[in-house]
Amino acid sequence: MITVFVPCDAAALSMGADDVATAIASEAKKRKANVRIVRNGSRGMLYLEPLVEVETPKGRVAYGPVAAKDVVSLFDAGFLEGKSHKLGHGLTEEIPYFKNQERLTFARCGITDPFSLEDYRKYGGYDGLAKALAMKPIDIINEVTTSGLRGRGGAGFPTGIKWKTVHDLASNQKYVACNADEGDSGTFADRMLMEGDPFCLIEGMTIAAVAGGATKGYIYVRSEYPHSVHNLRKAIEIAREANWLGDNIQGSGYSFDLFVRMGAGAYICGEETSMLESIEGKRGLVRYKPPIPAIEGLFGKPTIINNVMSFAAVPIILAKGGEFYKNYGVGRSRGTLAFQLAGNIKRGGLVEKAFGVTTRQLIEDWGGGTHSGRPARAVQVGGPLGAYLPESKFDVPMDYEEFVKIDAMVGHGGLVVFDDTVDMAQQARFAMEFCAIESCGKCTPCRIGSTRGVEVIDKIIADIDREKNVALLEDLCVTMTDGSLCALGGLTPLPVRSALHEFPDDFHKPAPNKFLADAAE
Amino acid sequence: MAKNVTRSPKGPRKQEVKASTPAQVAALSICARHGNKPDELLEIFHEMQHELGYVPEDTLPVIATALNRSRAEIYGVLTFYHEFHRHPVGKHIVKICRAEACQSMGTEELCRHAEARLNIPLGGTTADGTVTIEQVFCLGNCALSPAVMVGEKLYGRVDPERFDEIIAGLEKEAAE
């Protein structure tokens, strides 16, 4: 029996993985080859998807990107014995893109069958929870605090402190809520993990529940991720049947159950309080803080809220100890981050690496430069609310504090590359437009400021009272930064100002189309 | 929001819910499947859209009564979320991502191409009701942009040529 892996990750599916799996099955049948096809997650080398792997005595051998029409030639070349083919890359784990990573959170993703608990256990899954169940809750929290883990959703708040706040409160009901509303362009790490290793998220949330004293949890997944929703629901069912969820987990006396809630296309629901409103079945309006959600969260009860990546980092912290995790990284940025290379890039994908790696290393060493082959001109780091970095800032190490110093943010580690054909004035305009479309409308600076922002940028582009309007835009940005209730209005000025300051020449171009000229009048 | 809604001091008053249209009947049975729990409103809308294609206006009063919420609240939730349709849409919803990663790979040209190919603006539905095209912001396929989603099927590296192939497939299916 030969095992062949064909990913079931949405990105792999988007490039025809299902057709490839079908073609391999039928060709194997035709040739009477004894083949077992496993639908694994993605290894994160998305530029090679669908990446087909064959298990050989030497290890797993990679072929990609494989199209259904390549399958016959792969069989002819003897790929079932790992023989060479023009799509071959040798042993998967020896491919430099993969080999030069430090995979802690994504240690299993792409390797295991996402729905096999046996696979999960074989690769160290549930070791963390097994330990946690035998510990005092406060000791679990201390381990997380020692690891230096900070919220991977972008804000970077120390996870241990958040958990301790919930732990210390007395309440008849506490919750754990996972923010899986990964709405930022350039990010797909949450999606990859939910599809490729869902038990890892479930385990992380269960550890959080045990530590904080919660018995019920929700995963809020965006509706644009139907595959993640299916996979999580299926994995939760499997975990429940095996008593890794539910009453008296593995005889420990702890109980925790988990539910998936689907969003409905509102970007703002990635903001934690807005997400809580949405889980409660309401409009996703941002809440005033205080009270912070740790104290009054879901249904008014103490709630541990973290992003997918934060929860998914926890199992290994418990399994190997906080010190182990802390030994990765630089300064106050400890552990690893799942960097996501996206946009105009030759080798797009996920690179998990300790903090301290530079933008240039990621774009050039892993990414191989732009997809178009033209020079990279700007990189937006940390999502639509992150700054646009010019080439002169590509050597700043990825570190929460270092990035703040250059008026940028690491965020969740997403990098969107643009080549030299980009018009940065249009990107600045888009940032304001996006904020106007997605604002929840509760606070004035965000709701109205973003609409005015689009108008002012249009005037600058059309060369109407340039000096005056540039000053007005700067002023508006300060108001939005200081006066908005949440990060949407508060951070939109970041891409706008970085575009304006780093690429001022683009704001001197005539309006590219009639619509803009009309709007500016 | 809900805590601001005034209720009778004796507690919520449960009204009898009467459904007179097929959509209202469907809405009520979906609400009942969710235990008439107001916190499952988004799930209820998702299921209605799945069954009926959109959320008809005349179902809102019966949902409000079933969940013991005001009509304004139900309406407010429905209109807040981009995903929910309040009017009939095409048989297939084709979502084109217009977020930054896709912009860097030419999604604006793709949008213009899509509008010309189908002869409708973004948000529009073709005359034969086969396709509705919508803009979305991020489908999570940013390393393989531009991305398009049809129903729940995701496509990567969609250039105008590939877009036409996708649409041709949908049109062929509709003709059969």
Side-chain angles (χ1 to χ4, degrees):
Chain A
M1 175 87 86
I2 296 163
T3 306
V4 176
F5 296 86
V6 185
C8 66
D9 173 274
L13 296 178
S14 83
M15 299 305 280
D18 274 346
D19 294 341
V20 171
T22 309
I24 291 174
S26 79
E27 193 62 26
K29 201 174 168 199
K30 206 183 285 171
R31 299 186 188 220
K32 298 197 168 57
N34 198 3
V35 169
R36 176 179 80 116
I37 297 176
V38 172
R39 302 306 298 269
N40 56 336
S42 173
R43 294 267 193 167
M45 290 179 280
L46 298 178
Y47 64 102
L48 291 179
E49 292 292 2
L51 179 79
V52 174
E53 291 177 86
V54 179
E55 197 153 69
T56 73
K58 281 191 209 152
R60 278 155 74 158
V61 179
Y63 300 87
V66 177
K69 63 176 166 52
D70 300 319
V71 169
V72 171
S73 79
L74 279 168
F75 272 91
D76 287 345
F79 91 119
L80 291 181
E81 290 93 55
K83 288 183 181 159
S84 66
H85 182 273
K86 65 180 189 328
L87 296 174
H89 301 276
L91 295 171
T92 316
E93 315 219 340
E94 294 301 318
I95 299 172
Y97 193 99
F98 192 81
K99 198 182 179 186
N100 297 329
Q101 298 188 30
E102 287 149 325
R103 291 211 162 194
L104 303 181
T105 304
F106 281 85
R108 277 174 302 264
C109 194
I111 295 175
T112 55
D113 172 347
F115 303 117
S116 164
L117 267 177
E118 196 186 313
D119 254 19
Y120 187 66
R121 294 289 279 151
K122 194 168 117 193
Y123 288 91
Y126 278 128
D127 286 357
L129 179 59
K131 270 196 186 168
L133 291 173
M135 288 162 76
K136 278 201 200 123
I138 194 68
D139 294 332
I140 300 173
I141 293 168
N142 287 339
E143 209 62 59
V144 173
T145 306
T146 303
S147 76
L149 180 67
R150 293 164 71 176
R152 295 288 188 253
F157 188 82
T159 305
I161 295 179
K162 214 184 236 186
W163 289 20
K164 183 151 191 310
T165 307
V166 174
H167 169 271
D168 290 350
L169 291 164
S171 175
N172 58 350
Q173 177 72 61
K174 294 180 191 175
Y175 294 102
V176 175
C178 174
N179 189 339
D181 193 86
E182 184 179 61
D184 281 2
S185 180
T187 57
F188 43 82
D190 295 359
R191 183 189 60 67
M192 259 184 63
L193 189 101
M194 289 189 283
E195 291 170 12
D197 194 16
F199 293 129
C200 182
L201 173 60
I202 295 169
E203 182 183 355
M205 289 183 73
T206 311
I207 294 170
V210 170
T215 52
K216 217 170 162 184
Y218 290 91
I219 308 176
Y220 185 84
V221 188
R222 58 201 304 259
S223 56
E224 291 85 348
Y225 285 3
H227 299 92
S228 301
V229 172
H230 292 316
N231 286 14
L232 282 172
R233 285 190 170 144
K234 190 170 164 185
I236 286 171
E237 204 57 50
I238 294 167
R240 215 179 262 147
E241 268 167 36
N243 193 226
W244 285 107
L245 280 175
D247 292 335
N248 192 15
I249 295 170
Q250 304 293 316
S252 65
Y254 289 106
S255 297
F256 178 63
D257 212 352
L258 197 50
F259 305 91
V260 174
R261 279 290 167 84
M262 190 154 79
Y267 175 77
I268 191 62
C269 292
E271 198 282 336
E272 58 178 3
T273 62
S274 166
M275 177 188 80
L276 294 175
E277 292 286 309
S278 193
I279 297 176
E280 293 178 13
K282 301 174 196 162
R283 292 164 71 88
L285 295 184
V286 173
R287 292 180 186 171
Y288 292 104
K289 285 195 270 190
I292 55 168
I295 295 170
E296 268 185 47
L298 194 59
F299 303 109
K301 301 292 182 185
T303 307
I304 290 178
I305 305 177
N306 280 117
N307 172 269
V308 176
M309 285 297 113
S310 316
F311 282 126
V314 170
I316 198 161
I317 291 173
L318 265 292
K320 299 206 170 173
E323 284 293 336
F324 166 84
Y325 193 79
K326 192 186 172 184
N327 285 334
Y328 291 85
V330 288
R332 286 181 51 224
S333 306
R334 310 311 309 178
T336 58
L337 191 64
F339 296 99
Q340 298 135 85
L341 310 183
N344 196 331
I345 190 148
K346 199 166 164 188
R347 296 194 296 259
L350 180 133
V351 176
E352 185 176 350
K353 194 76 189 155
F355 285 92
V357 65
T358 67
T359 313
R360 192 183 304 280
Q361 284 174 311
L362 288 166
I363 298 171
E364 291 174 7
D365 299 353
W366 275 274
T370 63
H371 186 263
S372 62
R374 302 177 67 96
R377 181 156 182 251
V379 178
Q380 189 175 31
V381 185
L385 309 176
Y388 283 99
L389 302 184
E391 206 255 339
S392 62
K393 288 183 177 167
F394 285 5
D395 294 308
V396 177
M398 292 282 190
D399 169 316
Y400 291 116
E401 278 73 32
E402 290 300 314
F403 259 57
V404 168
K405 282 184 201 160
I406 58 163
D407 293 324
M409 65 171 196
V410 170
H412 40 51
L415 279 74
V416 178
V417 181
F418 291 82
D419 71 11
D420 61 353
T421 59
V422 67
D423 180 342
M424 293 308 295
Q426 287 304 316
Q427 295 310 120
R429 184 188 193 277
F430 176 76
M432 283 291 188
E433 195 184 3
F434 182 71
C435 182
I437 295 171
E438 299 293 346
S439 174
C440 83
K442 186 157 177 167
C443 70
T444 316
C446 175
R447 181 183 69 242
I448 298 180
S450 51
T451 300
R452 294 290 169 264
V454 174
E455 293 164 4
V456 175
I457 293 172
D458 279 345
K459 285 182 187 164
I460 296 169
I461 296 170
D463 211 15
I464 298 166
D465 291 334
R466 174 177 298 276
E467 298 297 312
K468 222 171 91 186
N469 279 310
V470 168
L472 188 61
L473 181 62
E474 296 276 6
D475 191 51
L476 177 65
C477 284
V478 172
T479 305
M480 287 178 72
T481 306
D482 296 344
S484 297
L485 262 183
C486 82
L488 177 55
L491 289 176
T492 293
L494 209 55
V496 174
R497 294 174 88 177
S498 61
L500 186 64
H501 296 163
E502 303 289 354
F503 307 92
D505 293 347
D506 287 16
F507 290 78
H508 282 277
K509 288 178 188 164
N513 60 45
K514 193 177 168 298
F515 170 74
L516 288 174
D518 287 347
E521 271 166 20
Chain B
M1 291 264 100
K3 56 181 140 178
N4 299 332
V5 177
T6 47
R7 301 208 189 291
S8 101
K10 288 175 196 154
R13 185 164 44 93
K14 199 80 185 167
Q15 286 177 7
E16 203 188 325
V17 190
K18 285 204 186 93
S20 47
T21 69
Q24 288 174 336
V25 173
L28 282 184
S29 95
I30 293 167
C31 287
R33 267 206 309 267
H34 287 272
N36 292 322
K37 286 194 283 196
D39 61 293
E40 304 213 0
L41 184 54
L42 264 69
E43 301 289 323
I44 291 168
F45 283 150
H46 276 301
E47 281 185 35
M48 286 183 65
Q49 192 150 294
H50 187 72
E51 282 185 21
L52 307 169
Y54 71 112
V55 183
E57 191 95 28
D58 69 354
T59 61
L60 301 185
V62 298
I63 296 172
T65 315
L67 305 187
N68 205 11
R69 283 287 181 270
S70 72
R71 275 190 215 182
E73 272 180 278
I74 303 297
Y75 182 80
V77 173
L78 179 68
T79 52
F80 184 83
Y81 296 95
H82 299 304
E83 177 81 14
F84 299 132
H85 300 286
R86 292 156 59 201
H87 303 286
V89 287
K91 189 159 173 274
H92 300 282
I93 303 206
V94 177
K95 294 173 175 170
I96 308 176
C97 177
R98 285 185 88 186
E100 286 86 347
C102 288
Q103 286 172 19
S104 76
M105 290 297 285
T107 195
E108 287 310 304
E109 289 83 348
L110 181 65
C111 288
R112 296 295 86 76
H113 172 83
E115 290 176 326
R117 165 70 179 77
L118 297 165
N119 197 25
I120 45 171
L122 287 177
T125 302
T126 52
D128 62 356
T130 304
V131 172
T132 296
I133 42 170
E134 283 180 353
Q135 64 169 6
V136 289
F137 296 103
C138 202
L139 294 168
N141 205 16
C142 320
L144 297 164
S145 9
V148 164
M149 192 178 253
V150 182
E152 293 194 347
K153 192 164 166 45
L154 184 62
Y155 295 87
R157 293 252 186 269
V158 182
D159 52 16
E161 197 185 329
R162 187 148 192 232
F163 183 84
D164 289 351
E165 283 169 22
I166 296 167
I167 296 297
L170 300 178
E171 286 172 342
K172 196 178 153 204
E173 188 201 302
E176 275 163 8

